[in-house]
Amino acid sequence: MELIDFAIVIGYFIFIVLAAFGFRRFALDSHHFINGGNAMPWWMAGATAFMTQFSAWTFTGAAGKAFTDGVAILALFWGNALGFFIAARFFAARYRKLRVETPMDVIAQRFGRPTERLFTWLQFPLSTLTAAIWLNGLAYIISAISGIDIVPTLLVTGLFITLISASGGAWAVNATNVIQLVLILAITLITGAYALWLADGPGPLITHFPGNFWLGSEMPHSSLLLGWVAMVLLQQTVSTNNANSCYRFLVTRNEPDARKAARLAGVLFIVGPVMWFIPPWFSAGQGVDLGSSYPQLGEQAINGAYLHFVTHMMPAGTLGLALAAMLAATISPMSTALNRNAGIFIRNIYQAPHHSEARLLKAGRWITLLNGFLATLLAWAIAKQDKLGFFELVMAVSSLIQMPLTIPALLAVIVRRTPDWAGWSTVLVGTLVSASLYLGFHPTQLPAWLGGSTLTPREAADLTFAVTVLAHLVVTCGFFLLTRLWYQPKGYAPQRARQVARFFANLKRPLQPSEITLGNPRQTLLLGRLLLLLSFLLSPLVWLATDYLHGLIVLAVLLAGMGLYLSARREIRLIRTSAPHKEKRTPD
């Protein structure tokens, strides 16, 4: 790692923190701190929806999976695309029509306060664990490439990400997500296109891949791979559309904007992952020995597949840009998770009638700082587990820990006639299913009726994941549906009956003009200026490159910034020349 790469990473750290503080003035109260006052443009919400579904792990653990197993890794990301397209068609608008501020408000209205409390206290440690995994993946690879010990790397990256979240709340988080989306797409799409050009097109890329590009290594039973892909698609669809993840649609102005945000995220997940994994596929086809290239990574050397291509095939300075992209990919989901937890704490735990807005805003910032500190400590603990693979860890968390929560949170807006206790009891049943499979299901060979052959380690891991997801879809989901047998419409207290009736009525009732907050073009204007500044700061890289690649990256950032700037200026002129509108507007 050269001096120019260090300068780029440190410079990006400073730039993105200053950009976050630039949006601090838009977080005037707790409502704006939590979800931006329901006034964010659809493209900003879509950028956040996209950015929160992956992290630096995508370019480390997932890239290593692509290096060894070919195209199968795309199922994980195309599952996100499928989930967002379903959200655009069904869930996104419904969540926005619920007129809530946090995901836990959905749970409270649907299942009552006891279930909301359970979800709240489970969601905090689970989201903190997920944030720690994201942070660990970033710090691990930066430490390995730079030679800096992982402890100070974790502390610095965790501190910066926490400061971004605490600075301006939802506005700072979502606005910086747009900046980071532009940077990631500019770097990774151009890098992927260059790798495809070096490979002489898709055909040679597939042909030169060692082993079977479609099945990957250690997968003699293609039916197992198909089963794994099917379960991944289903699991990602549930993960994308359950109430715990609805925060990404609550920030939008209205239902059409929520749909467009989901649609944008779906399109990005179709195109982006293909381009992300072309460099690892190319490196595999070239017979690269990652173990000798990254001996400091030990058994996790395949996690350097993406960075190997950037280091050896791209111009000087691109490694710093790639690490900045990984930084961006971790800042976005982690800062969003911290902001979401702060909103849940304010509204669902801490808030009391006598609390002022200033006190709630201060509490939100303090809980963000505490949550970020805990996530950093947990990431450090994970880093000490040498034998723990990033890919396997992420898949285990998603299937074993999150599924018991996501299933009732998804069915909450689909199935009506269930008792309140269906929510917490389904979580309990799902936890028992996960525990039973974790303790008692360790496949080493197929059953006799499927041939009885011995499973490879990859097949055993994929089968465990697929069976876990299938068990939850059958047993956990089935239990929730069975609770309908105990549903009694007259079993609710009068106030609770009115709350449930209002919940399902809101799912069908469109937002009224008085409930829609007009966006503030000055936020888009500031974003455009920041992207123009970023393109200016990146422009010296053009002189370092021996070809046009850095120039294309700078040009992409410049065009994005110019587009936002001109769009905002045009909207400001229209506002000044038009009559005052009756709808609410966010403050300057």
Side-chain angles (χ1 to χ4, degrees), residues 315-337:
T318 311
L319 176 59
L321 288 174
L323 291 176
M326 291 185 183
L327 179 63
T330 301
I331 289 175
S332 294
M334 183 173 173
S335 60
T336 303

Side-chain angles (χ1 to χ4, degrees), residues 494-575:
Q495 182 179 358
R496 178 73 187 117
R498 288 192 297 269
Q499 186 181 44
V500 174
R502 185 170 62 252
F503 176 88
F504 285 101
N506 282 342
L507 285 174
K508 300 178 181 179
R509 185 167 63 92
L511 293 171
Q512 302 303 306
S514 60
E515 298 176 294
I516 299 174
T517 303
L518 285 177
N520 188 342
R522 296 193 180 279
Q523 295 146 355
T524 304
L525 185 68
L526 178 57
L527 259 180
R529 287 172 174 168
L530 287 170
L531 284 171
L532 290 174
L533 175 60
L534 181 60
S535 67
F536 173 76
L537 295 174
L538 292 174
S539 58
L541 292 175
V542 176
W543 306 106
L544 293 175
T546 56
D547 49 39
Y548 53 85
L549 294 177
H550 283 168
L552 290 176
I553 293 173
V554 174
L555 179 62
V557 177
L558 175 65
L559 291 176
M562 187 64 68
L564 290 177
Y565 178 82
L566 294 177
S567 173
R569 295 296 301 178
R570 183 170 59 252
E571 188 175 351
I572 290 173
R573 286 196 300 269
L574 289 174
I575 291 173

Side-chain angles (χ1 to χ4, degrees), residues 346 350-360:
I346 292 173
Y350 181 74
Q351 180 173 304
H354 64 278
H355 287 158
S356 66
E357 280 296 330
R359 180 170 180 174
L360 293 175

Side-chain angles (χ1 to χ4, degrees), residues 190-512:
I190 291 171
T191 301
Y194 183 59
L196 188 62
W197 179 78
L198 290 176
D200 295 326
L205 180 73
I206 295 173
T207 302
H208 293 152
F209 188 84
N212 192 316
F213 180 75
W214 308 106
L215 297 179
S217 62
E218 298 183 351
M219 184 56 69
H221 302 95
S222 58
S223 57
L224 282 182
L225 178 62
L226 292 176
W228 179 83
V229 169
M231 292 302 104
V232 166
L233 293 176
L234 288 171
Q235 190 271 336
Q236 292 300 96
T237 300
V238 172
S239 174
T240 304
N241 289 286
N242 74 89
N244 293 327
S245 301
C246 72
Y247 61 90
R248 50 177 64 109
F249 307 123
L250 303 182
V251 300
T252 57
R253 295 177 58 243
N254 51 37
E255 306 97 302
D257 279 7
R259 293 190 188 97
K260 286 191 286 187
R263 201 171 293 119
L264 172 62
V267 171
L268 291 174
F269 267 118
I270 289 291
V271 179
V274 177
M275 303 304 290
W276 296 340
F277 298 129
I278 290 176
W281 292 333
F282 175 83
S283 297
Q286 297 298 305
V288 172
D289 183 2
L290 294 175
S292 60
S293 298
Y294 300 107
Q296 68 273 32
L297 295 180
E299 296 182 2
Q300 303 299 322
I302 59 171
N303 293 335
Y306 190 90
L307 289 178
H308 184 277
F309 177 87
V310 170
T311 304
H312 293 84
M313 307 303 297
M314 298 290 285
T318 311
L319 176 59
L321 288 174
L323 291 176
M326 291 185 183
L327 179 63
T330 301
I331 289 175
S332 294
M334 183 173 173
S335 60
T336 303
L338 295 180
N339 178 250
R340 181 175 72 248
N341 283 352
I344 292 172
F345 176 82
I346 292 173
R347 289 290 186 258
N348 303 100
I349 298 176
Y350 181 74
Q351 180 173 304
H354 64 278
H355 287 158
S356 66
E357 280 296 330
R359 180 170 180 174
L360 293 175
L361 195 58
K362 184 177 180 179
R365 291 197 167 106
W366 276 110
I367 197 65
T368 301
L369 292 172
L370 176 61
N371 199 189
F373 174 72
L374 292 175
T376 303
L377 285 182
L378 188 55
W380 175 71
I382 294 173
K384 297 177 71 67
Q385 308 300 316
D386 296 332
K387 300 296 183 180
L388 202 58
F390 288 149
F391 184 83
E392 290 76 12
L393 179 60
V394 170
M395 298 304 289
V397 169
S398 64
S399 61
L400 288 171
I401 302 178
Q402 292 179 346
M403 284 295 283
L405 283 172
T406 57
I407 286 179
L410 174 71
L411 296 177
V413 295
I414 300 176
V415 182
R416 177 169 183 169
R417 296 178 177 275
T418 60
D420 278 355
W421 53 265
W424 65 260
S425 60
T426 300
V427 173
L428 177 60
V429 170
T431 302
L432 292 175
V433 170
S434 290
S436 300
L437 289 170
Y438 178 78
L439 296 174
F441 186 69
H442 305 287
T444 56
Q445 64 181 39
L446 289 174
W449 57 276
L450 287 177
S453 56
T454 302
L455 298 174
T456 66
R458 179 194 170 191
E459 287 180 322
D462 288 356
L463 180 59
T464 300
F465 171 84
V467 169
T468 301
V469 174
L470 182 62
H472 281 300
L473 293 176
V474 174
V475 179
T476 310
C477 181
F479 174 82
F480 184 90
L481 296 177
L482 281 176
T483 62
R484 300 180 66 188
L485 298 175
W486 289 271
Y487 173 72
Q488 296 180 357
K490 297 181 180 180
Y492 291 118
Q495 182 179 358
R496 178 73 187 117
R498 288 192 297 269
Q499 186 181 44
V500 174
R502 185 170 62 252
F503 176 88
F504 285 101
N506 282 342
L507 285 174
K508 300 178 181 179
R509 185 167 63 92
L511 293 171
Q512 302 303 306

